[in-house]
Amino acid sequence: MTTLEFSGVSKRYRVRGAGDMLALDDVSFELSSGRTIALVGQSGSGKSTIAKILTQLERPTSGRILLDGRPIPRRGGGLRRYRQQVRMVFQDPFASLNPYHTIRHHVERPLRLDRIVPAGQVDAETRRLLERVRLDVDRVIDRRPHELSGGQRQRVAIARALASRPSLLVADEPVSMLDVSIRLGVLNLLADLQRESNLGVLYITHDLATARHFSDEIMVLHHGEVVERGVADEVILRPQHPYTRALRDASPDPDAHFAASVTTGSRS
Ligand SMILES: Nc1ncnc2c1ncn2[C@@H]1O[C@H](COP(=O)(O)OP(=O)(O)OP(=O)(O)O)[C@@H](O)[C@H]1O
Ligand SMILES: [Mg+2]
């Protein structure tokens, strides 16, 4: 089991001409393999900042991040191993894939760089990964990202994230740029993979209905502070913090909305 601990993390961005901006204020939580935590909050609340710190794209101003009790190495093999363990799926599957490279290249690259399988098995492993995300391998493997639909591209991004056999996955609004009709298919896929591989998932979203359905726990972020957290159903049904109540009341009835999308939802 792998546990990532975010402990008392604050992040201040320096904004030219405007002084400092406190994006995260003393945030603490733990993400363990086998668990899904939904991180919800309005635009600008600091969700992506948490994702960027977890994936080491940004450094915290203060606080610590520990993987199984150890600080993340700043460089070298240790940092590389951390990056194999904690992978990210981004919001925009077009921007995150290189238009000049084939799907094969995208999935093979981490396999080769991190030497996940011997060179002779890279092709078979690439195909296995594309199958795992339910893509028709022969139809997509030699294509480039622009020849695929948004949903297919996001599946490629997920296959690539899984290539290094991570324990934890950070998914920052993974379906918000996809057509509504295919969102549920991608979320169901993520949920299946989470169970099959016992992944720990940080699911970042604006959508309380899917947060409730796809997560064990919900954490509510408001102006960089965690204002509420708890078992998903509890947070939605009995929100304690006024901001959570406002969020819930502002979203269309989570149950009705979700029930409707589940019954008509297609897996694409
Ligand atoms: N590189 C940066 N430099 C300065 N300020 C930043 C930077 N990145 C983010 N911020 C600010 O930090 C705050 C939190 O941003 P963040 O992207 O984490 O929010 P978010 O919750 O992901 O929002 P959204 O739902 O719109 O994606 C915002 O006020 C944002 O303007
Ligand atoms: Mg964001």
Side-chain angles (χ1 to χ4, degrees), residues 157-175:
I158 294 167
R160 179 180 58 176
L162 295 178
S164 66
R165 301 184 185 171
S167 333
L168 306 174
L169 202 63
V170 180
D172 191 353
E173 304 201 42
V175 298

Side-chain angles (χ1 to χ4, degrees), residues 13-20:
Y13 288 113
R14 196 133 293 159
V15 185
R16 197 180 293 250
D20 280 1

